[in-house]
Amino acid sequence: MLAVTSPSSTFPYPSTNNHANLHQYVSAQIRQLSPDRSAKASMGGKTYLRHDSAQAVDPGQRPIRRVATEASGRSTPNGVSANDRDDIGVTVNGDDRSTKPGPLVRSNTDLGPRRADPPNRPEPAEDKWELRHGWDEQYNSAEYLGQLRAGWYMYYMDKRHETGGKPRQEDPSRNTSEWRMRDRLKTVSAALTICLNIGVDPPDVIKTNPTAKLECWIDPTASIGTNNKTMEQIGKKLQEQYEGLSIRVRYKQYLDPSVEETKKFCMSLRRNAKDERILFHYNGHGVPLPTPSGEIWVFNRNYTQYIPVSLYDLQMWLGAPSLFVFDCSNAGNVIANFDRFVAKHEEENAKARKNDPSVQLQTYGDNIQLAACGKSESLPTSPDLPADLFTCCLTTPIDISLRFFLLENPLPSELTLRDVARIPGRLAERRSPLGELNWIFTAITDTIAWNRLPRTTFKKLFRQDLMVAALFRNFLLSERIMRSNGCHPMSVPSLPETHNHPLWQAWDLTIEMVLAQLPAMVAAEEGGPPYEYRHSDFFTEQLTAFEVYLSQGAPNREAPSQLPIVLQVLLSQVHRLRALILLSRFLDMGPWAVNLALTIGIFPYVLKLLQSAAFELKPVMIFIWARILAVDGGCQTDLIKDNGYQYFINILNPANPLPVHNANEHRAMAAFVVAMFCRGFNQGQTVSLSPNLFNHCIGHMQDDNNPLLRHWSCLCISMLWADFPEAKWAGIRCQAHIILCERWNDEVPDVRTAALHALNNFLGIPDLTAQVAHYEETVATLVMRMTADGSSMVRRELLVFCSTFVKRYQSKFLVAAFEQLVKEKEDLMQAGTHGDSNPKRGALTKTDSSQDSQDSESTRVSYGSVQGTMWMHLLIMSIDPHAEVAQDAKCIVDYVHERLLHSPLGPRAQPLMDDIIRLSRRAATAKSQPPSRQPSVAPNARRTPGAGSPAPPALPKNESYLSMGMRKSASMAAALKHLTFGGHEAPAPLEEKSATTYQRIPGGPIRTRVPAEWIKPPDVHDPTTHAKTYVKAKTPKSKGYTKRDPNSSASLPLKSGFFDWSIEVLHLIDFRANHISNDHPLTALQYFREPQMQGADSDEPGSGDYNQKLWRRSRNDKVLALTQPLKGVAGTSKWDVPMGFFNNGTQPTKMCFHQFEDHLAIADDRDTICIWDWTKHHRLNRFSNANPDGTRINEARFINEDDQAFLLTGSSDGIVRIFRNYESPENIELVSAFRGLTRRIPSAKMAGLVLDWQQGQGKLLVAGDDRVIRVWNAASEICSTEISARSSAPLTSLTTDAVAGDILIAGYGDGALRVFDQRLRPQQAMIQIWKKHKQWITNVHMQRGGLRELVSGCRDGEVKLWDLRWRDEISTVRAVEEGSVMRGLSVHEHAPVFAAGSSTHTLTLYNTSSQQPLSVLEPTSPSSYSGVLPHLNRNIPIATAAFHPHRMVLAGGAMGSTWVNLWGCRGAEGGS
């Protein structure tokens, strides 16, 4: 076990498969690290270093480029990364190691190692020398290197890459259909039935003396007057108490009713209430107890008898839905028998319905019951309590709570039961003492119910009906008070026990604080000294508790107990802002949190707040509404009420200020809200339509500083004019469609896709006049520039637009498709007629017939039309490297072909298709074996229809549907994919062509007097593995890819999922709401649906992601610390230590080591990549790159190596692909695929594709058989710059300064080297040219570390070292034997060593400083006889060789052998 020692501690570095050691190691590291997260911003659920505008990073890419995965914003000493200190001589005082360890920071491997060498270790000699190119002073600048380190990003890790640009499958937590009570009921009528018969006690009731007397707080025995008048007072008082719960209910008092009256008023109530709920309150204190069968008692007409009323009759009279309140002893008997009689009614209904299905029947099922006590329990008779204690709990909870508290908790004061009624204020005035008590009581009981009741029960009882909610809220109090007096209230539905909830203690404290102030308040009212009431701290404390909950990150998604209290706090202006901010933080936790908030009833409150003019509430209200609409878009009709939508349209106006420094992010959310409001809602589109809204969105679309605002401004327009012609004409008048087209090269792929989404919805004005066609064709012409976009998400959305356009102009596309078939047949017949084995003659014929081809094209109806051009682009995209893009394009092409066959042109189209298949097969059969090296064949996206391109390859059997009778089981686009390239023949083998032929082809080489072999690739004659013996590997697909059913018929238009995806993953960069909230700012948030306010798991020490990143950081540092001191040893020692060999299975042609993982990527001579663990000689994965036959993989690179690396490949057809989880056969995914080279320049020399990756700049430089060097921006996924290659010779090699990334050096097929500075204009970028080499440049490479040596080599074996400041080379080395060809040149990134592979089976290693040979190696492989090495064939050339970027390891392989050899350096075994 290796370890790195510091004065403070020693930590072992465990292997990745040792989980126990990893846990111990991470725990130890976390105890020492003290991350400072003040400079972090959360991006996409990962931890990234926040990017500073003062850093030397392209400001245009700031909003979209991902920062390197770090857990701290604190820099290393002097602001220099680890690599800087060893490679460029910046040293760190060893005493610094004894201080507290620094935070988790990234190791920028392109800059060098992290740790300084121990003082006793001799520094390598070359470290004392100056860096090449005059960079010594610059690269030793702590400030400069600090800027480079701070701008370190990870790429292709955005949400569009992780999700494939598609919305996720619906999560059950996002199901919001239940929060809104669709079957909402309300109580409309109430029967207050009071059976007291004052003065006459029922026979079965024995009262104590003294006993409880108060009925509705009235003493019947102390009243002056008749009993009837007393009953009226009690009835009136009961009604007033119920009216305090709900004033809108129609109350009717029934005092001592007879059985006939009971039946009459019950049936009348049901008749008037219809299907609404009826309240039946029964006070049976003056009648016998309910019978065991549940019968209750009333009177006869003369009040001489007690008459029982059965539950069966009562249910039949009242029906359902009903709410029953039974306040009498033994009330549990009613509850116990109620459902039995309901079942009997339902059984009778079922029989009646069976006899007559159309009969109208009364329902009985939906009933709610409340009972004061159990079956054999009597009501309390304490004289200090009212006789109707249960009714008082239900209707006057504050009064009874004060009395109960005073009885249970005697205060050291002279307060009496009578005094508690003198608390000043009104229940409706929340700032008064009495009103505050009622407010707090409501919050407490709601919270208790929320915490103890099931969610469905809570919604039914507390959110469906105001009367039911009030009664059940007070029922919780009755359970507490009645239990303390020996009764157990009952309810249906039954509730869990709530009398012991901790919040009752808070309620007691609140009452105590009010009663403690009561004497002073009473004295002030009676003329004493003034007293200012001190309000309760209950809500402040509960908000603090809620804030603590939020700070803990909602473990296990447990619902916060304080959520109902937060809802109540919104009613107070004092606490409203803080409550809203805390609520927004809670909503930010995800859809589950939004669902909880909606369930608790937040929606009516935030809807009402839209009418508030409070300036400080706008930012948080925008965010809350964005969160709600992101989860539930069905709130459109609510926004129309009281013009709530206008709140957000006004915010879009730039002239309206917002109390935040980043108002544009809030306007982006407002645009999102308006877009959701208009989405599929014609009424919302109509009320939102105004020129002002268009102008606001158009202005925001042109704001280059805020991609989120541009994104949602586009989508706002898209939703506004979707299927709404009036809005489209309004947009035309504002030139909105033209401005949207101008977003085709926006630096953010999401914005480009949003613009396409809007333009797709722009199509379809019902009256297709010439003017409308002109507008739509103009748009189609402009968006065709996006076919070469590097983002697959953009290209898929472009195909959605094309499908709509094709559907709208179907007849014109049928003509274009037919004419293309005719042209294809003519080209194939012409190629067959002029086919000749003499390549020179073929080239001349091709040139002479070009004019005839142009003449025939000009006669085509679709030639030059928008439809004809789009059809060619669709054919090109049908073979897109991204499978989903290709599948969508094939769907469109299939649709057109199917309609063509069923059109009047069908009888002529079918023979054409059959002839094309026949001629293509004949040409493929007659064609000779394709050359091993082919140029990029990706057609030019802007070429005119019919431009020259290679002949089609032979069609696979499963694609030849045309010859099988047009079966739908195969894709027409696949069968006719050769149409995308026209019908010109493929170039003949290069070795047969003469120099004269090269001169006849446009764009030929500059030098015409050198031997032809000098300007050919060294591997031009290499054989290619035969297709019959080649075993194809599995092709990785993008995430979420679903193969289209080949038997299904193509239908248009295609459906876009971009809007739904945008809701999930839209970015808000560094959002801070620093408004007047006083220490309560909104923290950073990114996504409308995903939690971003709280820190990401990867930021939190101890989390799994954080531990993994910490371990990777330490692993990287270990590799750097072990290998960097060995640079000097590697430059002076032999490299002949064998480290084994393994069988790759196929011919290796390109190899690439991962910097830190033990991964070696090997590409063969066709399309397969193998990933090996080179330390164990174990193959981890084998997969296909999916490049077509006749092409091969030219480049393989690892990107994002400091964290989770991706594999980037480039093939000779000009395609670049990026793979995630490349080492896992089960999890490998295609992240991105695009045409790095979109044009092909005819050339006799074929370089294919060459590239170089700049991790620090996020740029991919691509060149090859083209006259330009394309600079692809990895963040924006577009070609940001095209630098002229300044030569017609193919570009054979690229290298850049990996630190700053400004200098680019290119090698050419004619031996020239050119130096470009990317900071200059493309036309002036070339700053140096060397023409010292005379032959094909095999490789040119600049070291990442060491002395930054620039090394080049050509095919004749000359290797030269260069300094950018000098006109001549520094030195020249003859690296291979005289007469042999140098097949490859590899340079170590940090050690002063390079290796030259020859055509005579040798790998020779040299020191770059002394130019002395170090070792001569010869790859070997086991013979067919076990343990015996075969005789080495000196004529077998070296196929490939590669150094490990840090370790002293070299891998190599020879032609004709599938074996790969590994060698190490003597004296550097620890670093190998």
Side-chain angles (χ1 to χ4, degrees):
M1 184 75 69
L2 296 173
V4 176
T5 306
S6 68
S8 59
S9 60
T10 301
F11 293 110
Y13 292 80
S15 61
T16 55
N17 55 5
N18 191 337
H19 299 290
N21 291 341
L22 175 61
H23 176 74
Q24 297 173 2
Y25 160 72
V26 170
S27 300
Q29 286 286 67
I30 289 175
R31 287 194 294 270
Q32 283 210 345
L33 293 176
S34 177
D36 176 13
R37 300 203 302 261
S38 61
K40 287 187 295 184
S42 178
M43 299 184 68
K46 303 177 179 62
T47 308
Y48 298 98
L49 190 67
R50 194 169 69 228
H51 153 105
D52 191 350
S53 60
Q55 297 162 358
V57 183
D58 183 1
Q61 298 171 1
R62 189 173 302 122
I64 55 173
R65 296 173 60 190
R66 294 203 169 218
V67 187
T69 308
E70 304 188 16
S72 173
R74 200 181 306 167
S75 63
T76 54
N78 299 327
V80 186
S81 72
N83 286 354
D84 308 331
R85 295 201 286 270
D86 276 351
D87 273 346
I88 57 183
V90 177
T91 59
V92 178
N93 190 342
D95 294 337
D96 292 341
R97 292 295 184 91
S98 62
T99 61
K100 187 176 180 179
L104 179 60
V105 293
R106 156 156 260 93
S107 54
N108 292 353
T109 54
D110 282 352
L111 304 180
R114 178 171 299 280
R115 295 180 175 84
D117 294 338
N120 58 353
R121 178 174 292 174
E123 192 170 333
E126 63 271 21
D127 286 355
K128 301 177 182 178
W129 299 346
E130 271 192 12
L131 294 180
R132 297 290 186 200
H133 324 299
W135 291 342
D136 188 73
E137 180 178 354
Q138 182 184 20
Y139 284 179
N140 279 281
S141 167
E143 179 182 359
Y144 177 73
L145 290 170
Q147 292 178 355
L148 293 178
R149 186 190 63 80
W152 201 256
Y153 291 75
M154 297 292 106
Y155 297 94
Y156 296 101
M157 297 178 68
D158 294 293
K159 286 294 180 181
R160 63 178 176 274
H161 303 116
E162 296 178 0
T163 63
K166 297 181 289 296
R168 294 173 297 186
Q169 296 295 325
E170 283 299 320
D171 189 337
S173 67
R174 293 226 301 261
N175 184 8
T176 58
S177 60
E178 297 181 359
W179 75 266
R180 192 187 295 268
M181 303 301 295
R182 304 297 180 184
D183 54 346
R184 195 180 189 97
L185 294 175
K186 60 182 178 180
T187 302
V188 296
S189 300
L192 305 181
T193 308
I194 305 175
C195 298
L196 293 180
N197 196 15
I198 298 174
V200 180
D201 291 337
D204 56 354
V205 176
I206 301 176
K207 295 184 177 181
T208 62
N209 189 16
T211 187
K213 297 178 181 180
L214 299 180
E215 297 282 352
C216 297
W217 302 105
I218 297 174
D219 185 355
T221 62
S223 301
I224 300 176
T226 64
N227 291 340
N228 290 336
K229 188 172 183 178
T230 303
M231 282 293 295
E232 291 175 1
Q233 292 176 348
I234 294 174
K236 182 178 180 181
K237 185 64 175 178
L238 179 62
Q239 181 173 336
E240 290 176 356
Q241 292 176 185
Y242 266 107
E243 286 175 347
L245 303 181
S246 178
I247 193 65
R248 297 183 179 180
V249 178
R250 297 188 299 269
Y251 297 98
K252 186 68 175 177
Q253 305 166 27
Y254 299 98
L255 309 177
D256 292 341
S258 65
V259 64
E260 292 81 4
E261 291 174 339
T262 303
K263 177 180 180 181
K264 181 179 180 181
F265 72 70
C266 287
M267 297 183 68
S268 175
L269 284 174
R270 173 49 57 197
R271 184 168 55 253
N272 295 330
K274 298 181 181 179
D275 294 330
E276 299 291 350
R277 180 174 283 119
I278 295 173
L279 168 64
F280 179 81
H281 178 95
Y282 175 76
N283 181 328
H285 297 171
V287 294
L289 302 179
T291 65
S293 61
E295 296 171 313
I296 60 175
W297 299 85
V298 291
F299 304 96
N300 62 359
R301 291 184 178 181
N302 299 324
Y303 297 98
T304 59
Q305 290 182 339
Y306 299 106
I307 306 299
V309 176
S310 69
L311 283 178
Y312 179 87
D313 293 337
L314 186 63
Q315 292 170 357
M316 184 171 60
W317 300 338
L318 287 174
S322 296
L323 169 60
F324 297 89
V325 177
F326 300 102
D327 186 358
C328 57
S329 298
N330 290 10
N333 288 330
V334 181
I335 303 296
N337 291 278
F338 199 95
D339 288 341
R340 179 166 59 89
F341 289 104
V342 169
K344 186 174 181 180
H345 281 294
E346 295 295 345
E347 183 179 351
E348 292 174 354
N349 282 350
K351 293 180 179 179
R353 194 175 292 109
K354 184 177 181 181
N355 296 330
D356 184 5
S358 61
V359 66
Q360 296 294 327
L361 299 174
Q362 174 67 52
T363 60
Y364 300 96
D366 187 7
N367 290 296
I368 299 173
Q369 301 129 53
L370 298 175
C373 57
K375 290 183 179 181
S376 57
E377 294 177 347
S378 299
L379 295 179
T381 58
S382 171
D384 294 327
L385 295 174
D388 60 344
L389 178 61
F390 185 62
T391 299
C392 289
C393 291
L394 294 182
T395 58
T396 57
I398 305 303
D399 295 337
I400 195 62
S401 293
L402 292 169
R403 179 178 289 259
F404 175 75
F405 177 82
L406 202 58
L407 292 173
E408 295 291 321
N409 306 280
L411 293 176
S413 66
E414 298 180 356
L415 287 176
T416 64
L417 294 178
R418 188 181 300 275
D419 293 331
V420 297
R422 301 183 63 184
I423 295 178
R426 296 173 57 247
L427 293 176
E429 296 176 354
R430 285 187 292 271
R431 298 301 295 169
S432 68
L434 190 60
E436 186 178 60
L437 277 176
N438 185 57
W439 185 23
I440 294 174
F441 175 79
T442 302
I444 287 177
T445 50
D446 256 12
T447 304
I448 293 174
W450 168 259
N451 292 328
R452 292 290 174 88
L453 271 60
R455 292 289 176 262
T456 54
T457 304
F458 176 83
K459 286 188 294 183
K460 178 180 180 181
L461 300 182
F462 287 82
R463 292 296 179 263
Q464 189 181 63
D465 186 340
L466 293 178
M467 176 62 79
V468 173
L471 287 176
F472 269 90
R473 194 179 294 120
N474 300 339
F475 178 79
L476 302 182
L477 175 67
S478 73
E479 185 185 23
R480 184 187 188 215
I481 295 177
M482 299 290 286
R483 274 177 176 268
S484 66
N485 288 277
C487 293
H488 297 79
M490 300 177 66
S491 68
V492 176
S494 61
L495 305 182
E497 292 184 357
T498 60
H499 66 281
N500 56 355
H501 194 280
L503 273 178
W504 287 122
Q505 299 176 14
W507 175 236
D508 290 341
L509 177 62
T510 302
I511 293 177
E512 182 177 358
M513 293 181 65
V514 173
L515 293 180
Q517 301 179 73
L518 181 58
M521 290 187 291
V522 171
E525 285 185 353
E526 294 176 349
Y531 180 79
E532 183 178 356
Y533 174 70
R534 185 168 66 88
H535 293 278
S536 173
D537 295 331
F538 172 79
F539 289 111
T540 302
E541 294 169 352
Q542 293 299 318
L543 288 179
T544 301
F546 187 47
E547 194 168 7
V548 171
Y549 164 86
L550 295 174
S551 66
Q552 295 176 348
N556 302 322
R557 292 189 175 183
E558 293 180 359
S561 59
Q562 302 83 11
L563 194 57
I565 298 175
V566 176
L567 189 67
Q568 289 295 323
V569 174
L570 295 180
L571 300 173
S572 169
Q573 292 185 355
V574 177
H575 305 291
R576 181 176 295 163
L577 183 57
R578 183 187 180 195
L580 285 173
I581 293 173
L582 294 178
L583 178 63
S584 67
R585 289 178 57 187
F586 176 68
L587 298 181
D588 185 61
M589 291 182 172
W592 68 272
V594 178
N595 282 336
L596 283 178
L598 293 174
T599 302
I600 199 66
I602 190 67
F603 187 78
Y605 291 81
V606 295
L607 182 63
K608 187 67 175 178
L609 285 175
L610 292 180
Q611 307 305 317
S612 172
F615 192 57
E616 68 276 7
L617 295 183
K618 288 186 177 181
V620 68
M621 284 298 297
I622 297 169
F623 174 68
I624 290 175
W625 269 96
R627 276 298 191 181
I628 292 175
L629 288 175
V631 175
D632 183 4
C635 306
Q636 297 160 316
T637 55
D638 301 282
L639 284 173
I640 288 184
K641 298 175 183 177
D642 300 323
N643 295 328
Y645 67 93
Q646 198 66 40
Y647 187 90
F648 304 99
I649 294 179
N650 292 336
I651 290 172
L652 284 174
N653 187 354
N656 292 335
L658 289 173
V660 284
H661 75 276
N662 56 344
N664 283 337
E665 279 76 11
H666 292 82
R667 291 195 173 94
M669 287 188 285
F672 160 73
V673 173
V674 176
M676 292 294 294
F677 174 62
C678 295
R679 186 185 187 188
F681 186 48
N682 183 259
Q683 191 176 356
Q685 293 173 309
T686 303
V687 298
S688 300
L689 178 60
S690 68
N692 289 335
L693 180 57
F694 269 107
N695 292 332
H696 298 337
C697 291
I698 289 172
H700 295 321
M701 280 193 297
Q702 297 171 319
D703 179 7
D704 292 333
N705 296 322
N706 197 294
L708 181 68
L709 184 55
R710 298 199 303 274
H711 183 134
W712 279 104
S713 296
C714 293
L715 291 182
C716 183
I717 291 179
S718 178
M719 293 296 101
L720 178 60
W721 66 21
D723 301 321
F724 189 29
E726 290 82 358
K728 294 177 183 180
W729 284 112
I732 291 173
R733 289 189 289 270
C734 297
Q735 295 293 300
H737 61 300
I738 300 299
I739 297 173
L740 283 166
C741 291
E742 293 173 356
R743 293 288 97 195
W744 73 275
N745 62 345
D746 192 282
E747 64 181 8
V748 183
D750 300 1
V751 178
R752 301 197 297 272
T753 311
L756 281 171
H757 191 279
L759 292 172
N760 177 59
N761 284 337
F762 172 75
L763 301 177
I765 296 177
D767 188 9
L768 185 55
T769 63
Q771 183 184 17
V772 172
H774 170 73
Y775 290 139
E776 295 181 343
E777 290 179 351
T778 300
V779 169
T781 302
L782 294 175
V783 301
M784 281 299 101
R785 294 175 290 186
M786 303 174 78
T787 54
D789 198 287
S791 171
S792 60
M793 183 175 69
V794 175
R795 300 199 302 275
R796 287 206 313 273
E797 195 66 26
L798 175 62
L799 287 172
V800 174
F801 173 89
C802 292
S803 67
T804 305
F805 192 80
V806 168
K807 180 79 172 179
R808 188 160 171 83
Y809 297 92
Q810 178 174 308
S811 59
K812 294 185 178 181
F813 278 94
L814 296 182
V815 173
F818 179 78
E819 291 183 339
Q820 181 60 33
L821 292 174
V822 173
K823 180 181 181 300
E824 177 65 15
K825 178 182 177 181
E826 293 175 353
D827 290 342
L828 287 173
M829 293 180 64
Q830 182 179 1
T833 303
H834 297 289
D836 200 312
S837 60
N838 187 339
K840 176 178 177 180
R841 174 180 169 185
L844 293 173
T845 304
K846 175 179 174 180
T847 304
D848 296 340
S849 62
S850 61
Q851 185 62 42
D852 295 338
S853 177
Q854 294 178 3
D855 294 341
S856 63
E857 284 182 353
S858 61
T859 61
R860 294 165 54 190
V861 175
S862 62
Y863 177 74
S865 66
V866 177
Q867 289 76 15
T869 303
M870 182 178 288
W871 179 245
M872 292 302 300
H873 283 299
L874 288 172
L875 293 173
I876 294 171
M877 296 180 76
S878 68
I879 55 167
D880 192 273
H882 197 279
E884 290 186 71
V885 178
Q887 180 169 268
D888 288 348
K890 289 175 183 178
C891 182
I892 300 175
V893 174
D894 284 355
Y895 176 87
V896 174
H897 282 155
E898 288 176 1
R899 296 302 181 273
L900 176 62
L901 293 175
H902 293 86
S903 70
L905 293 174
R908 298 180 59 189
Q910 181 68 67
L912 280 174
M913 293 180 178
D914 294 338
D915 291 343
I916 290 171
I917 296 298
R918 176 175 51 80
L919 293 171
S920 298
R921 288 178 173 172
R922 180 186 301 172
T925 303
K927 188 170 61 174
S928 61
Q929 184 71 19
S932 59
R933 290 289 292 253
Q934 286 193 2
S936 306
V937 297
N940 179 12
R942 298 182 182 179
R943 64 174 184 158
T944 57
S949 49
L955 291 172
K957 292 182 179 180
N958 63 342
E959 294 180 351
S960 59
Y961 73 99
L962 293 175
S963 59
M964 300 171 65
M966 298 302 296
R967 293 183 181 177
K968 293 181 181 179
S969 59
S971 170
M972 296 186 180
L976 299 175
K977 64 183 179 181
H978 55 283
L979 295 177
T980 61
F981 298 125
H984 298 282
E985 71 272 12
L990 292 177
E991 59 269 21
E992 298 181 5
K993 292 191 176 183
S994 64
T996 306
T997 305
Y998 298 150
Q999 300 171 23
R1000 293 292 299 254
I1001 298 178
I1006 296 176
R1007 301 171 181 172
T1008 60
R1009 299 181 181 179
V1010 297
E1013 290 295 323
W1014 286 18
I1015 49 179
K1016 289 182 180 179
D1019 55 355
V1020 67
H1021 301 298
D1022 291 350
T1024 303
T1025 304
H1026 199 276
K1028 292 184 179 180
T1029 61
Y1030 189 78
V1031 179
K1032 278 279 191 180
K1034 181 180 178 181
T1035 302
K1037 303 297 183 183
S1038 59
K1039 189 169 186 177
Y1041 171 77
T1042 303
K1043 188 175 181 181
R1044 174 190 166 203
D1045 183 5
N1047 295 316
S1048 63
S1049 178
S1051 62
L1052 297 185
L1054 301 176
K1055 303 299 181 183
S1056 172
F1058 176 73
F1059 190 90
D1060 291 328
W1061 178 85
S1062 296
I1063 298 174
E1064 296 175 355
V1065 299
L1066 245 291
H1067 297 177
L1068 284 177
I1069 303 302
D1070 193 22
F1071 176 59
R1072 292 285 191 273
N1074 294 327
H1075 40 33
I1076 61 173
S1077 57
N1078 297 330
D1079 300 327
H1080 301 293
L1082 285 179
T1083 54
L1085 53 100
Q1086 277 183 299
Y1087 308 137
F1088 292 147
R1089 279 184 178 166
E1090 297 190 350
Q1092 290 298 324
M1093 282 188 178
Q1094 66 272 20
D1097 288 342
S1098 57
D1099 294 348
E1100 299 300 326
S1103 67
D1105 288 344
Y1106 183 90
N1107 292 350
Q1108 292 177 15
K1109 292 179 181 183
L1110 179 64
W1111 186 89
R1112 280 193 293 266
R1113 194 289 306 260
S1114 302
R1115 186 271 317 273
N1116 298 353
D1117 281 352
K1118 174 196 170 185
V1119 172
L1120 296 173
L1122 290 177
T1123 58
Q1124 290 298 326
L1126 301 176
K1127 295 184 295 185
V1129 177
T1132 57
S1133 303
K1134 295 287 187 182
W1135 284 65
D1136 56 358
V1137 179
M1139 300 182 65
F1141 49 81
F1142 51 84
N1143 188 355
N1144 187 57
T1146 54
Q1147 172 66 61
T1149 58
K1150 289 289 179 182
M1151 294 190 296
C1152 180
F1153 282 96
H1154 192 291
Q1155 292 191 61
F1156 304 112
E1157 300 284 355
D1158 296 330
H1159 294 167
L1160 173 62
I1162 303 177
D1164 64 13
D1165 57 348
R1166 294 178 71 90
D1167 71 339
T1168 301
I1169 298 172
C1170 294
I1171 306 298
W1172 288 84
D1173 183 330
W1174 60 269
T1175 60
K1176 300 178 181 179
H1177 301 170
H1178 171 65
R1179 191 175 73 187
L1180 303 175
N1181 194 12
R1182 179 176 183 267
F1183 60 92
S1184 172
N1185 192 55
N1187 44 289
D1189 293 339
T1191 64
R1192 67 174 184 176
I1193 303 168
N1194 287 115
E1195 299 282 0
R1197 304 288 175 90
F1198 290 106
I1199 67 174
N1200 301 341
E1201 293 174 273
D1202 289 83
D1203 193 36
Q1204 295 177 332
F1206 295 169
L1207 181 64
L1208 181 148
T1209 66
S1211 51
S1212 59
D1213 57 349
I1215 303 300
V1216 176
R1217 294 176 176 87
I1218 301 172
F1219 300 95
R1220 178 193 293 114
N1221 303 323
Y1222 56 84
E1223 77 282 4
S1224 172
E1226 297 81 15
N1227 301 322
I1228 185 171
E1229 296 173 356
L1230 179 68
V1231 177
S1232 181
F1234 60 94
R1235 296 187 185 276
L1237 291 178
T1238 55
R1239 285 195 293 256
R1240 176 203 171 193
I1241 302 300
S1243 174
K1245 305 168 296 302
M1246 294 170 292
L1249 176 143
V1250 295
L1251 58 82
D1252 194 39
W1253 167 251
Q1254 294 181 341
Q1255 184 72 44
Q1257 294 290 323
K1259 294 179 180 178
L1260 178 67
L1261 292 88
V1262 182
D1265 295 322
D1266 204 345
R1267 290 179 179 171
V1268 295
I1269 302 169
R1270 299 184 182 276
V1271 182
W1272 288 88
N1273 190 308
S1276 60
E1277 299 188 66
I1278 58 175
C1279 180
S1280 58
T1281 309
E1282 289 189 354
I1283 302 174
S1284 174
R1286 305 292 287 271
S1287 175
S1288 60
L1291 202 150
T1292 64
S1293 181
L1294 277 177
T1295 188
T1296 60
D1297 166 28
V1299 179
D1302 298 323
I1303 302 301
L1304 160 67
I1305 302 97
Y1308 293 79
D1310 58 0
L1313 294 172
R1314 289 178 172 83
V1315 182
F1316 301 89
D1317 191 334
Q1318 298 184 60
R1319 294 168 293 186
L1320 302 177
R1321 296 174 56 189
Q1323 298 83 354
Q1324 303 170 349
M1326 192 180 77
I1327 58 175
Q1328 181 70 278
I1329 181 171
W1330 296 305
K1331 294 187 178 181
K1332 301 299 182 178
H1333 290 293
K1334 303 302 180 183
Q1335 297 191 25
W1336 183 282
I1337 298 297
T1338 302
N1339 191 19
V1340 58
H1341 186 80
M1342 178 180 286
Q1343 288 182 311
R1344 294 182 183 177
L1347 298 181
R1348 312 292 197 234
E1349 294 283 11
L1350 176 59
V1351 185
S1352 68
C1354 65
R1355 75 189 307 276
D1356 64 356
E1358 278 192 352
V1359 176
K1360 297 180 182 292
L1361 276 69
W1362 306 89
D1363 191 301
L1364 297 177
R1365 299 167 293 178
W1366 296 3
R1367 297 289 300 175
D1368 297 320
E1369 69 271 23
I1370 299 173
S1371 59
T1372 301
V1373 182
R1374 166 62 71 177
V1376 298
E1377 301 174 3
E1378 195 70 34
S1380 65
V1381 176
M1382 186 167 71
R1383 297 295 304 263
L1385 173 66
S1386 299
V1387 183
H1388 198 283
E1389 294 292 359
H1390 299 278
V1393 179
F1394 69 86
S1398 71
S1399 59
T1400 56
H1401 201 72
T1402 59
L1403 264 173
T1404 309
L1405 282 77
Y1406 290 86
N1407 184 298
T1408 58
S1409 302
S1410 64
Q1411 290 83 47
Q1412 296 299 316
L1414 301 176
S1415 296
V1416 178
L1417 307 174
E1418 296 180 344
T1420 58
S1421 59
S1423 65
S1424 57
Y1425 302 97
S1426 176
V1428 180
L1429 294 178
H1431 175 70
L1432 297 178
N1433 186 348
R1434 302 294 180 184
N1435 295 324
I1436 296 178
I1438 298 297
T1440 181
F1443 281 104
H1444 191 284
H1446 296 295
R1447 298 185 184 274
M1448 306 307 147
V1449 176
L1450 174 67
M1455 284 300 301
S1457 173
T1458 60
W1459 292 81
V1460 175
N1461 292 72
L1462 298 172
W1463 298 277
C1465 175
R1466 293 185 186 179
E1469 286 78 4
S1472 303

